[in-house]
Amino acid sequence: MLVRLKLLIALLLLASAVQGQIVKGYFPYYRSMADVSNVQYNKLTDIIYAFAAIDANGNLQIMGPGGTPDLSLFNAIRTNCTSNGVRLWVAIGGWGLSGNFSGVAADATKRTTLANACLNLCSTYGLAGIDIDWEFPASGDAANYTSMLSDIKSKLGTTYKLSAALGGESFNYSCVAAGHAVGVQAAAFTYLDYFNIMSYDAPSCFPNHTSLDFLQRAMAGWNAKGCPYSKMIVGIAFYCRGSSVDLWSNIATTARFNDSDGIDGSINFDSKPTIEAKINYAICTMGAAGAMTWELSQDLPGSNPLNLTTVMKNAVDVCACPFSDPNLGSDQSLCGVGSITLDGGIAAASGRTFTWEKDGSAFAGTGPTNTINAGGTYKLTIAQGSCTKYDQVIISSTLPTPSLGTDQLICDPASYDLSPSNGSSFPAATTWQWKKDGSDITGATSSTLTNVRNAATYRLTASITGCSSTQDDIVLTSSLPSPVDGCSGSAPVMLSITNATGGPYTWYSSASSTSSLATGTSYSAPSAGTYYVQDGVSSPPTYVGLAGPANSFQNTTGTSVGIDFTTSAAVTINSVEVYVPGWAAGNLQIKIRNSANTADVYTGPVMAVNNTTNATLKVVVPVGAALAAGSYKMVDVGNINLYVNTNPTYPITAGNVSITGSYGLGSYAFFFHWEIAGSGSACKRLPVVATVGGSCVAAPVELIRFSATAEQDQTLLRWTTAQEINNDHFELEYSSDGKKFNVFGTVRGQGNIVTMTNYVFEDPEKRSGKIYYRLAQYDFNGEVHYSEVVAVENNSSTISVSPNPFSLSLQVIVNAQEENADITIWDTQGRILQKIHSLTNTPQNIGQELEPGLYFLEVITKGKVYRERILKE
């Protein structure tokens, strides 16, 4: 990015001469559209459209061909300026349109009208500024001329520029009785950003009306009058004088183009040598702001080698800056260093200024170096005389974001080593902290978290001095119980598992050992080490998966739909479910084919079905297909019309079996559920660690859940621990803003226990509105750990969920003035297991068909969403 930026800067310098110096030209209103096309916009920094007429009251109108108000020519110039990056001005007055200046300048009300009109032109047309071309103020107008410029500048402010154009023949010429300077006070230059010297049209005592001598005398005279050289823009003539006035485009020849003094007989003009000499003196020697010409349409087209606009631009380019391009270096990062000193490589010098910006705004610092301690885009602009150059650099203050990858299922493998895949992109001084479900994991301060075996949301935060911290989350769900590592000063060490839903559980000394140590949910380890527990070796578990939402059926005909599935281990497909529409009759028959669809691996028996009702009939089709590990296709090849899902692609994983897509074959079918019995354990063995010795550090209290439920006018707080080590007590805290918490209750802990414990506490106060709760757990040594914050809104809607944990069914009551509520149960893998549309104030008993384990309950009513973890024992 920086390389491209510096290339752009270099191109801009070439395109518009030395940065900060001006190549400007007037374009008069009485020219044609063809003249607009001949202007060399790419050789100019500015164009002044001439003129806007001023009436007796100070109002302005932009003039067009024919000498009447007309925007057509102006708009054509404006369009070309915009597309070529050229600044556009409007000149007011000029020869023949300056008659009203004196009266307007003498009247404060009319001056205000003029100033407002100038501002309106700038803001309406996006002008760079206004040029006052009063030809010419008399001695009696001097004070009013200053007042007029002051009033205009006060309106234009710093947003728009103000310039004025005047001649120079009143300075040191014995042949001139009157001049252009008599009506100008020194104070007038205070209000001008630039002063355009018409260093042409010299009187007859000069052999060339646009000579270097005339320009030098004009610059000196105006400087003595009070105009700084740095505000001067000197004039170049694109026309000749002599026996007559004519355009350069009409008199141009190669000889005249190269003429040393611009005099050819009775004709005098600006040639290439005179233009170069004038610009060299004005800009390179005296520090003038730039050069301008009257006027652009008088030049030859840019393709002509005798074109004077090119000469003018090239001459300005020769006036190189007295310093080289600044270079702030490559983009850098504050991460790990805290501060960086930027240096453009240009030394301080008399008359040289250094301006710093950050993200486009002024930034402290006026020297060649600057020490910064915050990220942003920094720009250093160096100016001396009319020369301006800059460079910029991007300073980053943000670390890369750790990338922990996709969420994972704890099954196969049964544990994970978590680490960011982009860890090598972090500085060596980066510090790390892991969190589990929002709480810091003590001692987990490296980029890798090893042997992770518990379902939770894990967050890795990267931090370093000088940069903002970054983090990433990974969610681990589990098909296994939660391990409870053991820690003891001496052997034996008690190991156990919680959330056990299957069984029997068998303990082993290694991940591959065939000799069991014991069975059950706990094991007394004789020594330190890692032991392994496996679920269901003698009785493999059954998995039921959902392959499509049951609420999106359609009665359809056409190509059948089946499922593609892959199993990573040997399994038995026990049955599948299909849905038969009302009054349908026929045969159902399941067929399983290889993934290439070239051979049948199983053909099931024909099952006759006759649905004599108007309701949809769920039919469980027995399968009994024992399959080796591999990929398969399963379809119904019977002749009965079935309900078909219109978008049957639902990636689902259950145990070793993964549904990967949809497949069409034969008749009309779709399998919405399947039941799979594994021929062995579906998951790998779960490692459980025994630690022995004085350095043994007990695991903290493991909080499975913490919830707050509004019931009637009270709030019930419920929490469950999987184990408790060194647990002294809990404190219940509430907050009305989620920031400042107050203690309102204390519950004694279990000390040390490795079995699941449920707690319930009722908030004794009736608190209204939205209330935030959190749980503080205190160890015996006083160390405190906080739960996540939960919120309850006590209003006209309350949700009653009881009992929780439950063993048979869960009763949900939605107390609300609404007529209905949506109740959904999700499993830990994000699958919808049950969803009902309930009337409010009506008890709903749900969860009867759930296997023991952890689930998520969601209730939506009155536009509000209530979520709670539920546990079936």
Side-chain angles (χ1 to χ4, degrees):
M1 177 179 179
L2 186 63
V3 172
R4 293 196 300 271
L5 178 63
K6 289 184 176 178
L7 177 60
L8 175 62
I9 293 171
L11 292 174
L12 288 173
L13 288 173
L14 291 174
S16 60
V18 178
Q19 217 178 58
Q21 293 175 334
I22 294 169
V23 184
K24 179 184 293 188
Y26 284 88
F27 190 96
Y29 67 87
Y30 44 77
R31 296 306 183 190
S32 68
M33 285 293 182
D35 294 321
V36 171
S37 301
N38 283 334
V39 173
Q40 292 189 82
Y41 297 93
N42 64 331
K43 301 293 176 61
L44 302 165
T45 62
D46 300 76
I47 288 178
I48 303 176
Y49 184 85
F51 297 95
I54 178 174
D55 69 11
N57 294 313
N59 297 300
L60 299 175
Q61 286 187 307
I62 294 176
M63 305 301 286
T68 59
D70 185 347
L71 291 174
S72 58
L73 194 71
F74 168 76
N75 282 334
I77 290 289
R78 179 171 169 243
T79 298
N80 281 280
C81 285
T82 300
S83 60
N84 288 277
V86 177
R87 295 181 292 260
L88 178 62
W89 301 57
V90 166
I92 301 170
W95 189 258
L97 294 176
S98 293
N100 289 321
F101 266 121
S102 183
V104 170
D107 187 301
T109 299
K110 295 178 180 180
R111 290 200 303 267
T112 299
T113 299
L114 173 60
N116 286 327
C118 290
L119 177 60
N120 182 60
L121 282 182
C122 289
S123 60
T124 300
Y125 300 110
L127 303 179
I130 295 294
D131 182 54
I132 300 299
D133 201 347
W134 180 352
E135 299 188 14
F136 296 97
S139 57
D141 294 315
N144 294 335
Y145 183 71
T146 301
S147 296
M148 181 185 70
L149 296 180
S150 173
D151 289 351
I152 295 173
K153 186 58 180 174
S154 69
K155 289 292 183 180
L156 300 184
T158 58
T159 304
Y160 306 107
K161 303 296 184 183
L162 178 62
S163 65
L166 287 170
E169 59 264 46
S170 63
F171 303 111
N172 302 316
Y173 311 128
S174 57
C175 62
V176 179
H180 297 164
V182 294
V184 181
Q185 298 175 329
F189 299 106
T190 304
Y191 307 107
L192 294 176
D193 295 290
Y194 301 109
F195 183 61
N196 300 332
I197 301 177
M198 295 186 288
S199 46
Y200 38 73
D201 286 346
S204 59
C205 55
F206 289 88
N208 186 346
H209 84 98
T210 182
S211 66
L212 172 61
D213 180 33
F214 181 57
L215 177 142
Q216 291 172 331
R217 291 173 181 267
M219 289 182 69
W222 282 117
N223 180 252
K225 190 76 175 178
C227 182
Y229 286 111
S230 61
K231 289 189 176 183
M232 294 181 187
I233 296 178
V234 295
I236 306 295
F238 283 4
Y239 63 96
C240 71
R241 283 192 176 277
S243 57
S244 63
V245 177
D246 206 345
L247 312 184
W248 169 253
S249 58
N250 291 335
I251 68 162
T253 64
T254 300
R256 288 171 176 167
F257 180 77
N258 294 305
D259 192 276
S260 60
D261 60 3
I263 300 174
D264 182 14
S266 62
I267 300 175
N268 52 91
F269 49 87
D270 260 324
S271 63
K272 179 176 182 290
T274 63
I275 292 174
E276 291 172 342
K278 291 165 72 174
I279 289 177
N280 177 268
Y281 175 80
I283 299 176
C284 300
T285 303
M286 303 306 296
M292 60 86 175
T293 181
W294 182 270
E295 45 82 9
L296 293 169
S297 70
Q298 297 171 332
D299 199 7
L300 291 163
S303 58
N304 193 300
L306 307 183
N307 176 272
L308 294 183
T309 304
T310 301
V311 174
M312 183 174 160
K313 183 264 181 188
N314 290 341
V316 173
D317 282 354
V318 171
C319 298
C321 285
F323 54 88
S324 59
D325 294 340
N327 185 357
L328 293 174
S330 302
D331 295 346
Q332 300 184 62
S333 172
L334 284 166
C335 298
V337 295
S339 65
I340 293 173
T341 298
L342 298 177
D343 188 344
I346 305 299
S350 176
R352 186 173 299 170
T353 61
F354 298 83
T355 304
W356 292 87
E357 295 176 62
K358 176 180 180 289
D359 297 329
S361 299
F363 185 71
T366 57
T369 64
N370 209 334
T371 300
I372 57 96
N373 54 17
T377 299
Y378 290 86
K379 179 180 179 180
L380 170 62
T381 301
I382 306 175
Q384 186 171 356
S386 59
C387 175
T388 302
K389 293 185 178 182
Y390 71 89
D391 189 24
Q392 61 186 32
V393 64
I394 297 173
I395 304 299
S396 170
S397 61
T398 304
L399 279 169
T401 298
S403 179
L404 296 177
T406 58
D407 298 341
Q408 299 292 340
L409 172 68
I410 299 174
C411 175
D412 183 7
S415 66
Y416 287 90
D417 289 342
L418 303 178
S419 63
S421 60
N422 59 340
S424 61
S425 63
F426 289 81
T430 303
T431 60
W432 307 90
Q433 178 62 60
W434 286 92
K435 289 180 180 288
K436 177 184 176 185
D437 288 336
S439 299
D440 287 350
I441 302 175
T442 303
T445 56
S446 72
S447 61
T448 300
L449 189 64
T450 60
N451 201 25
V452 180
R453 295 156 289 152
N454 288 291
T457 298
Y458 293 87
R459 169 171 290 182
L460 176 61
T461 300
S463 303
I464 198 170
T465 302
C467 285
S468 303
S469 296
T470 57
Q471 65 263 333
D472 189 26
D473 291 349
I474 184 171
V475 177
L476 300 187
T477 52
S478 181
S479 296
L480 295 173
S482 299
V484 181
D485 295 339
C487 181
S488 177
S490 61
V493 181
M494 181 58 67
L495 307 178
S496 65
I497 54 175
T498 61
N499 300 330
T501 59
Y505 293 93
T506 306
W507 294 82
Y508 296 89
S509 60
S510 70
S512 59
S513 173
T514 57
S515 299
S516 63
L517 299 173
T519 58
T521 57
S522 63
Y523 173 64
S524 181
S527 60
T530 300
Y531 296 82
Y532 295 83
V533 63
Q534 187 169 25
D535 181 10
V537 170
S538 60
S539 177
T542 295
Y543 299 90
V544 177
L546 177 65
N551 61 353
S552 60
F553 303 144
Q554 265 191 353
N555 194 4
T556 186
T557 60
T559 304
S560 74
V561 188
I563 57 174
D564 294 337
F565 67 96
T566 300
T567 175
S568 60
V571 296
T572 298
I573 309 297
N574 289 335
S575 64
V576 297
E577 294 179 6
V578 295
Y579 290 80
V580 178
W583 312 115
N587 295 324
L588 296 174
Q589 187 179 24
I590 296 299
K591 177 178 284 190
I592 299 177
R593 301 184 62 105
N594 63 6
S595 60
N597 197 26
T598 57
D600 296 340
V601 297
Y602 168 83
T603 300
V606 175
M607 181 178 177
V609 175
N610 184 14
N611 186 4
T612 60
T613 71
N614 192 37
T616 301
L617 176 66
K618 179 178 76 173
V619 179
V620 179
V621 183
V623 179
L627 303 174
S631 298
Y632 301 93
K633 300 178 183 295
M634 179 163 59
V635 295
D636 168 54
V637 293
N639 62 0
I640 192 171
N641 288 343
L642 301 178
Y643 273 118
V644 180
N645 187 279
T646 57
N647 184 21
T649 303
Y650 297 91
I652 301 294
T653 298
N656 291 319
V657 178
S658 175
I659 300 297
T660 58
S662 61
Y663 174 69
L665 179 70
S667 71
Y668 324 120
F670 189 68
F671 305 92
F672 288 96
H673 296 77
W674 72 95
E675 183 180 356
I676 304 163
S679 60
S681 175
C683 296
K684 296 295 185 181
R685 293 176 181 176
L686 177 67
V688 189
V689 180
T691 305
V692 177
S695 61
C696 173
V697 177
V701 172
E702 183 175 350
L703 185 67
I704 294 178
R705 63 157 189 145
F706 173 63
S707 65
T709 306
E711 298 186 6
Q712 303 303 324
D713 293 327
Q714 303 293 134
T715 300
L716 286 184
L717 289 304
R718 297 182 177 92
W719 65 101
T720 301
T721 61
Q723 65 174 8
E724 297 181 25
I725 305 296
N726 298 326
N727 182 24
D728 183 66
H729 69 280
F730 300 97
E731 289 185 355
L732 286 306
E733 300 178 355
Y734 81 94
S735 170
S736 58
D737 60 4
K739 299 176 182 179
K740 183 179 180 181
F741 284 84
N742 303 288
V743 177
F744 66 89
T746 302
V747 175
R748 182 59 53 191
Q750 299 294 318
N752 295 281
I753 188 172
V754 294
T755 58
M756 185 182 299
T757 305
N758 297 307
Y759 295 88
V760 179
F761 190 89
E762 183 178 77
D763 187 346
E765 298 293 331
K766 296 180 180 180
R767 309 182 199 278
S768 60
K770 191 170 187 178
I771 305 298
Y772 301 86
Y773 293 93
R774 73 180 182 186
L775 181 70
Q777 180 268 318
Y778 286 83
D779 294 343
F780 287 121
N781 63 5
E783 186 174 351
V784 62
H785 309 274
Y786 290 98
S787 72
E788 62 182 351
V789 176
V790 297
V792 170
E793 189 159 352
N794 291 310
N795 49 31
S796 58
S797 296
T798 59
I799 309 299
S800 173
V801 179
S802 64
N804 189 18
F806 66 99
S807 57
L808 296 177
S809 66
L810 185 73
Q811 186 180 80
V812 180
I813 303 176
V814 182
N815 299 306
Q817 297 176 356
E818 294 289 302
E819 294 183 357
N820 53 60
D822 291 316
I823 303 174
T824 306
I825 294 180
W826 308 73
D827 67 8
T828 57
Q829 298 182 44
R831 298 176 296 194
I832 298 176
L833 303 183
Q834 188 171 2
K835 186 170 185 177
I836 63 174
H837 193 64
S838 170
L839 293 175
T840 56
N841 307 306
T842 301
Q844 295 290 336
N845 293 311
I846 61 177
Q848 296 94 330
E849 298 179 357
L850 297 178
E851 297 291 332
L854 181 65
Y855 301 93
F856 299 96
L857 174 72
E858 178 183 84
V859 179
I860 302 176
T861 182
K862 295 188 69 176
K864 295 183 174 62
V865 179
Y866 302 83
R867 295 187 178 92
E868 185 172 346
R869 294 183 181 184
I870 58 175
L871 185 66
K872 187 170 185 180
E873 298 177 327

